[in-house]
Amino acid sequence: VEELIGLGFQGEEMRLDDPEMVPPEYQQYYQQPVQQPEYQQYYQQPAYQQPVPERPAIQLPTGRGIVKTILLSLITFGIYGLVVMGRISNEVNIVCSKYDGKKTTNFWVMTLILTPLTLGIYGIVWYHKLFARIGDELNRRNINYGFGAGTFWGWVVLGTLIVVGPIIGMHKLYVASNKINADYNEKG
C-alpha cells in the first residue's frame, strides 16, 4: 500500500478489496494468498469433542462362566464358587460406588458372620440387593440385559422348585457381571 501511495495514488481513494481498483502491475500481489507462518500452516484448531474417559488402571475380568465355576467348585469342595462371589461383590463396589454412592457388604463378612447371626435372612437380603444393584448399573450404562432383583427371586429362590433354577440365576449373574465389567474396562 505504501508503494502505491508513493506512485501517485495519494489523492485518490483507493479500495484494495476491489480487484479493478488495483493497477495491473500490482495484480500479482493482490491475488497471492497471504502466507501464514510455518507453525500455523500445519495446525488447525480441532473441533470440540467430548473428552474420552481414560481406561481404568485395573481391568476387571469379563470371562466368568457357570460351567467353569461348577467344575472348579466340585474339585475345590465349593471354595472356588465362594471366591468368585467374593470377587464379584468387590467388583460391584468398584464399578457402581462412584455413581450410586452405595457399598455392598463384603461377601465374606456376609457369609461367615451376618448370615449365621440372622439365621440366613441377611444372606437373602444381601443377594437381593446385589442383583438389584447390578441391574441398576446395567440400566445406567444402557446395557440391554434383563437382570435385577426379580432375577434373584424368580430364578434363585423360586427356581429351586425346578432344581436348575439357581444355576440359571447364577449364570445370569455371571453374564451381567461380565457385561458391566467389560463396559467399565472400556469407559471407566
Side-chain angles (χ1 to χ4, degrees):
V1 175
E2 291 177 10
E3 291 178 19
L4 293 176
I5 292 174
L7 293 175
F9 291 96
Q10 296 108 346
E12 303 174 26
E13 186 173 322
M14 181 172 202
R15 291 183 39 208
L16 294 178
D17 60 341
D18 185 4
E20 293 179 9
M21 295 297 294
V22 178
E25 61 269 15
Y26 293 103
Q27 287 282 332
Q28 64 181 359
Y29 301 113
Y30 178 80
Q31 294 178 352
Q32 285 185 352
V34 176
Q35 289 275 334
Q36 291 183 348
E38 195 172 318
Y39 65 90
Q40 288 183 347
Q41 288 179 354
Y42 303 106
Y43 177 76
Q44 285 187 339
Q45 185 71 20
Y48 176 76
Q49 295 178 351
Q50 288 281 345
V52 176
E54 292 184 26
R55 297 179 77 181
I58 299 171
Q59 296 291 298
L60 301 177
T62 59
R64 287 199 178 98
I66 193 69
V67 174
K68 175 181 165 185
T69 302
I70 291 171
L71 292 175
L72 289 174
S73 292
L74 289 173
I75 293 170
T76 61
F77 303 105
I79 294 172
Y80 182 78
L82 295 173
V83 169
V84 168
M85 282 307 303
R87 289 184 179 170
I88 286 176
S89 70
N90 289 338
E91 292 161 10
V92 166
N93 283 332
I94 291 169
V95 173
C96 303
S97 292
K98 184 165 100 174
Y99 301 103
D100 65 8
K102 299 176 186 173
K103 187 170 184 336
T104 299
T105 305
N106 182 288
F107 175 77
W108 296 106
V109 172
M110 181 274 299
T111 302
L112 300 174
I113 299 170
L114 298 174
T115 298
L117 282 176
T118 61
L119 303 176
I121 294 172
Y122 190 83
I124 294 170
V125 171
W126 186 88
Y127 274 103
H128 167 84
K129 288 182 174 182
L130 178 73
F131 276 60
R133 192 169 181 206
I134 291 173
D136 291 344
E137 187 66 17
L138 287 166
N139 291 334
R140 192 192 67 73
R141 292 179 178 268
N142 294 320
I143 299 172
N144 190 18
Y145 184 67
F147 188 84
T151 306
F152 169 71
W153 291 105
W155 284 111
V156 178
V157 176
L158 294 176
T160 56
L161 298 173
I162 60 169
V163 181
V164 295
I167 295 171
I168 295 170
M170 295 312 286
H171 168 71
K172 291 178 80 59
L173 172 66
Y174 291 171
V175 170
S177 176
N178 289 339
K179 287 180 181 287
I180 63 170
N181 287 355
D183 193 66
Y184 173 82
N185 289 344
E186 186 167 323
K187 301 175 186 171

